[in-house]
Amino acid sequence: MGVGMWGQLCARALRRRARAVCGDVGMVTSEYAMGLIAAVGFAGLLYKVVTSGQVRAALQAVVEKALDVQF
């Protein structure tokens, strides 16, 4: 296979890739936005759980126990 044939194959692959990327721009953006909204919601829920009284007491007990270890 000559150098010219490789160039044609590469150019064809690049054109195919460019068409695929350009066709999904809006879809990728909307998926990114939905993922971001879900991540923010999960972070808010996790914050509420971690700052609740029971979890806070358990975390504090773990930290106090870790600091009380004799070396």
Side-chain angles (χ1 to χ4, degrees), residues 27-44:
M27 187 173 194
V28 171
T29 303
S30 65
E31 289 172 355
Y32 177 76
M34 293 303 292
L36 185 62
I37 290 169
V40 169
F42 182 71

Side-chain angles (χ1 to χ4, degrees), residues 7-23:
Q8 289 176 354
L9 289 173
C10 289
R12 188 178 309 151
L14 286 173
R15 282 193 300 271
R16 196 175 325 130
R17 179 73 178 141
R19 274 181 287 195
V21 169
C22 291

Side-chain angles (χ1 to χ4, degrees), residues 2-71:
V3 176
M5 183 62 110
W6 280 109
Q8 289 176 354
L9 289 173
C10 289
R12 188 178 309 151
L14 286 173
R15 282 193 300 271
R16 196 175 325 130
R17 179 73 178 141
R19 274 181 287 195
V21 169
C22 291
D24 290 340
V25 172
M27 187 173 194
V28 171
T29 303
S30 65
E31 289 172 355
Y32 177 76
M34 293 303 292
L36 185 62
I37 290 169
V40 169
F42 182 71
L45 179 66
L46 187 61
Y47 176 77
K48 282 298 218 181
V49 168
V50 169
T51 57
S52 69
Q54 292 176 337
V55 175
R56 182 182 292 183
L59 288 174
Q60 186 174 357
V62 168
V63 171
E64 287 175 358
K65 186 176 181 180
L67 292 175
D68 195 36
V69 172
Q70 298 294 324
F71 288 102

